[in-house]
Structures are given as structure tokens and as C-alpha cells.
Amino acid sequence: MNSTQPNQILIVDDNPTNIKVLFDCLKSAGYRVFIAQSGESALEKLAVITPDLILLDVMMPGIDGFETCQRLKNLPSTQNIPIIFMTALNETEHKVKAFSLGAVDYITKPFQQEEVLARVNVHLQLCNLNQELRSMNEQLEKRVAQRTARLSYTLEQMQVMQLQLIQNEKMSALGNLVAGVAHEINNPISFVAGNIFPAQEYLKDLFKLIALYQQECPQPSPVIQKTIKSIDLEYIKKDFPELLNSMEIGIERITNISHSLRSFARSDTAKKQLFDIHEGLDSTLLILKHRLKANEDRPEIQVIKNYGEIPLIECLPSPISQVFMNIFANAIDALEEANQGRSFAEIKAKPNCITVTTNLSQDEQYAIISIKDNGTGMPQHIKQQIFEYLYTTKTTGKGTGLGLAISHKIIVDEHQGKIEVNSQPGAWSEFIITIPVMASKGVS
């Protein structure tokens, strides 16, 4: 209420004499007075003005004062306006009804001007105090809301810091382990690989010497002939080179594995660099190979790769590989859950499958990676919470609720990308990662 302007009072009465008496009395007291001669006209007028107080006659044609009061109290715009009933009725039941409908007071006819002014002044003062109290409450609620928002922000930042610490610790531990294994593998691999070629050359020399002996001594002794037959010399001459070639291929495969391990364990959390997304996917699948292999309960989990033409991506390779690790591990978990209650033959007839698809967006500004499994799927309420901090659908001890929350942070916060999930309950789940090809871009 503006203290520089007079209070507004609405008089609702069908008696012109009463109206004149009240109007003159209130006007001379400095109030701004409005008049309505029926309940209907009062409701119409209140759609335009908002008085500070209403003086309402009980007995009126059309809708009476009681019904008018009830309608006013049912309207949000008028329910807080104090109403004083004016009545010649002095029965207790009418007074009780007036108060039960929300009136704050009543004045009996004929009017005593001093009494009218006294009651009006008291209730306007109470109205002013109530408005001040409501204003103070609103300010208090606003301050509480602001403080709650600050506390929520602080809690969110603490959770982000906790996620970051957990992420750094996990990647540090995993990176050290994988790098150590790769290093230990690399030394014997290098030794064996370095000796394969000399061994092949030595073998050629030995076979050449044996051929020369056979040429110079076409009729060896019975003992030598027996030995040649027992060791199957001709088979050895044919198989030994192939054996060394197989060893060479095996060494090459182990070298590739070691390279993949070193790629996964790359410590590059501070600076973005160019990275082959397909190499990251392959390295992660290699580390999870033991979980993909067939076992006594199920056949091998098939991995279908639909790789498109994607350039090197400017990103943090190690965290991106961690995202792949989390999603692939969840896909394997979902497949194992879907296998419960199914026989080996049933699973073989409908094999477990993870499909990895990569391509570029139409404008070639973003890389899109889809990882889809044919496991259990997930209902809508889980999809809505899947990336929330500490949310997990796994039993106690099997999930922390951090993997996908960390993945979301890595993709959205650290790479300005987007990670989404699509699913059909009981059929499949698909995680779709969209990240900029160049770090300066961002998914809108």
C-alpha cells in the first residue's frame, strides 16, 4: 500500500440514504470512496479497482451480502480484502455466519459515525500491518531461497570436485597399471622380435648345409637314414619356416596389443590433443576382451563395428577412453543380466551383441559415436536419472553410480559435447556420444 495516497474504501449498499451518510463520513475523514448498489455491481467494480476495505450490506436485492462475501473470498484477487458487514439484523446466528464467511467485523444500523470511523481505522491499520508482515515474509522467503540456492550450488561444486578426484584417481591407478603391463610386455617382445629374422636366416643356412650334405653324400649310413626317417626331415624343412612365420605374426599381434595398452594409458588429462577415436574404441574393447569371450554360461559376445570416415579428434584421449570403458562395461552387464534364466542354446540362437557405429554430423563438425546392446533396455524413469550422481540400478557392491555421472561430466563439461541414451525396455539400449571434431566447437 502506498502511504502517500489515501486508503480506498468500497461501499456496497442499495439504500441511497445509507450510502450518502457513509460517503460523507468517510470522505471527510480523508478516504477515497467508491460506491456499488448491488452485489453484482460490486463484483464488476472489483474487477477494475482493488480497495483496501469493503463495507458490505447484508440485505440487498439479487445476491445478498453473505453470497457476495463468499464469492469475494473465493477469488484470489479479492480474498485478502477485509470486509465489514453492515446490518440491521442483530441475531447471533447472522453474526456467526458473517464471521464464518470471512468478515472481519460488523456494524449495526442505524450508523454511528464515530463507531464507523473507529472500526474502519482499526481494520485499515490491521490491514496495513498484515501487508507489511506479508512483505517481510516474502523478503524472508526470498533470502531463504537465495541461501538455499547458494548451498545447493556449493554442494553441486563439491560433488563435481569429488567426481573429479575419483576420476583422476581411477585413471591414474588404471593408467599406471596398464602402462606398467605394456612396458613389461614390450621388453620380451622386443627381444623375441629382434631375433626372429636372424633365426630365419640361420634356418636357411642350416637347410642349405643339409642339402649340400645330401648332395655330397647321397648314400648316408643306415644310422643317419634311420634318424632322418624318425624326425621326418622333409616335414621339418617344410614346417619350420611356417612356424617361424607364425611366431612373427604372433609377435606383431602382441606388439599391437602393447601399443593399444599404451594408448589407453596415455596421461594427457591437462591438454587436448589429436586422437583416433577408432583406436580408442579398439583399445578399450581389447582391455575388456576377457569379458567378451565365451564361457561355460554363454557364447562369445559379438562386437559389430560400423566405423565411418572420421578424422583425428581434438580431445583428452584418456578421459574419452574412460567414457568408452564405462559404457562398454555397462553394456556387458546389461547383456549378462538379460542372459539370466536363458540356456546356452537359447543365447546362441539369439546372440549377445554390441554394435559400435561412428560417423560425422552432416556439417562434419561433430563426431557421433553410438554404442548399442541388445540387453534388457531400461524404462523411462531410469533413462531420466541415468546420468545423476550416485544413481545406480545395480545391487549393492556391483555399482557405485559414478561411472555414467563421470562420463557425462567428461563429455559435456570437458568437451562441450552431448551424451544421450535411447532404449526400448526388454530389447536394447543405445548411448550416443556427440563431441566436436575441434575443441573450439561445442554442441548447442
Side-chain angles (χ1 to χ4, degrees):
M1 187 183 305
N2 191 340
S3 59
T4 63
Q5 295 181 355
N7 290 112
Q8 298 180 358
I9 300 175
L10 174 64
I11 301 172
V12 186
D13 198 324
D14 64 327
N15 188 312
T17 302
N18 291 339
I19 291 174
K20 186 176 186 315
V21 171
L22 289 171
F23 183 88
D24 292 343
C25 173
L26 296 171
K27 190 75 174 176
S28 62
Y31 297 116
R32 187 178 181 187
V33 184
F34 299 92
I35 296 171
Q37 293 185 319
S38 68
E40 292 88 344
S41 63
L43 293 171
E44 292 175 0
K45 194 173 291 290
L46 286 168
V48 179
I49 65 170
T50 305
D52 303 303
L53 181 71
I54 298 174
L55 293 173
L56 179 59
D57 187 24
V58 172
M59 304 301 294
M60 293 184 297
I63 60 173
D64 62 15
F66 292 136
E67 184 176 349
T68 303
C69 179
Q70 187 172 22
R71 292 191 185 186
L72 293 176
K73 293 302 177 182
N74 288 334
L75 294 173
S77 60
T78 58
Q79 61 185 2
N80 291 323
I81 301 175
I83 297 174
I84 299 177
F85 272 113
M86 302 181 296
T87 178
L89 304 174
N90 204 24
E91 289 83 356
T92 301
E93 62 179 302
H94 291 104
K95 298 176 183 178
V96 171
K97 183 175 182 181
F99 287 120
S100 67
L101 290 172
V104 297
D105 205 347
Y106 67 93
I107 301 172
T108 57
K109 300 177 182 179
F111 302 123
Q112 298 294 326
Q113 293 188 15
E114 294 79 3
E115 179 186 1
V116 171
L117 286 175
R119 291 180 184 272
V120 167
N121 287 334
V122 166
H123 288 293
L124 283 175
Q125 290 176 7
L126 289 174
C127 179
N128 292 339
L129 290 173
N130 284 332
Q131 287 194 358
E132 289 179 11
L133 182 60
R134 281 196 294 270
S135 177
M136 292 175 63
N137 284 337
E138 289 175 359
Q139 292 178 8
L140 181 60
E141 289 176 0
K142 184 177 180 180
R143 290 209 304 251
V144 169
Q146 290 173 344
R147 183 166 297 181
T148 301
R150 286 197 298 268
L151 289 173
S152 298
Y153 176 78
T154 302
L155 178 60
E156 182 180 344
Q157 291 301 108
M158 290 177 63
Q159 290 177 344
V160 168
M161 291 175 62
Q162 184 181 15
L163 281 174
Q164 188 66 53
L165 288 172
I166 293 171
Q167 174 191 341
N168 291 343
E169 188 65 26
K170 287 179 65 176
M171 291 309 296
S172 176
L174 183 59
N176 290 337
L177 174 62
V178 173
V181 170
H183 178 73
E184 290 301 318
I185 292 175
N186 194 53
N187 289 335
I189 289 176
S190 299
F191 175 78
V192 176
N195 286 288
I196 286 287
F197 180 75
Q200 291 173 326
E201 294 300 312
Y202 295 158
L203 182 63
K204 291 178 182 177
D205 290 341
L206 288 174
F207 284 168
K208 183 177 180 181
L209 179 61
I210 291 172
L212 186 59
Y213 265 101
Q214 288 177 330
Q215 182 179 347
E216 295 292 329
C217 303
Q219 296 296 326
S221 68
V223 175
I224 293 176
Q225 290 183 20
K226 183 178 180 181
T227 302
I228 290 173
K229 185 176 180 180
S230 65
I231 66 174
D232 197 350
L233 181 60
E234 292 302 317
Y235 177 79
I236 291 176
K237 289 167 65 176
K238 178 182 178 182
D239 189 58
F240 205 164
E242 294 180 0
L243 188 149
L244 289 177
N245 289 337
S246 297
M247 291 175 62
E248 188 175 19
I249 293 172
I251 291 298
E252 184 178 349
R253 291 183 61 185
I254 297 174
T255 301
N256 291 336
I257 292 173
S258 177
H259 175 74
S260 295
L261 292 174
R262 290 197 304 273
S263 174
F264 184 87
R266 191 180 303 173
S267 57
D268 49 11
T269 56
K271 184 178 179 181
K272 292 181 179 179
Q273 54 189 268
L274 295 178
F275 179 59
D276 186 342
I277 286 291
H278 297 152
E279 180 183 334
L281 289 165
D282 291 341
S283 298
T284 307
L285 287 169
L286 180 65
I287 293 173
L288 291 170
K289 186 69 175 179
H290 67 287
R291 295 197 62 191
L292 298 170
K293 288 182 178 180
N295 56 42
E296 59 184 10
D297 298 318
R298 60 159 176 78
E300 179 182 16
I301 296 175
Q302 299 179 7
V303 178
I304 301 173
K305 301 177 183 179
N306 300 319
Y307 289 172
E309 293 292 331
I310 295 183
L312 298 179
I313 306 298
E314 188 178 5
C315 66
L316 302 173
S318 186
I320 288 292
S321 295
Q322 183 186 3
V323 173
F324 296 157
M325 173 72 76
N326 289 333
I327 296 177
F328 279 129
N330 280 347
I332 296 171
D333 290 341
L335 292 171
E336 290 180 344
E337 181 180 345
N339 289 337
Q340 293 180 8
R342 300 171 64 201
S343 65
F344 193 100
E346 289 173 331
I347 300 171
K348 186 175 182 179
K350 186 182 177 182
N352 295 152
C353 181
I354 298 175
T355 303
V356 188
T357 304
T358 64
N359 51 63
L360 287 174
S361 61
Q362 289 186 350
D363 59 7
E364 298 186 351
Q365 298 296 310
Y366 306 101
I368 303 172
I369 304 103
S370 163
I371 301 174
K372 183 176 182 180
D373 66 74
N374 61 344
T376 56
M378 63 184 77
Q380 183 65 29
H381 73 275
I382 291 180
K383 283 174 55 180
Q384 294 173 347
Q385 304 177 76
I386 199 70
F387 298 112
E388 291 182 5
Y389 178 75
L390 295 181
Y391 180 80
T392 180
T393 59
K394 299 175 184 177
T395 57
T396 303
K398 290 190 175 181
T400 63
L402 295 175
L404 290 178
I406 290 173
S407 298
H408 186 274
K409 181 180 182 302
I410 291 171
I411 296 299
V412 176
D413 295 344
E414 297 182 8
H415 291 85
Q416 292 71 54
K418 182 169 61 175
I419 180 169
E420 303 169 288
V421 59
N422 296 320
S423 181
Q424 181 177 330
W428 53 267
S429 292
E430 178 185 28
F431 285 85
I432 302 173
I433 300 167
T434 304
I435 56 175
V437 173
M438 302 302 295
S440 59
K441 299 291 182 179
V443 178
S444 57

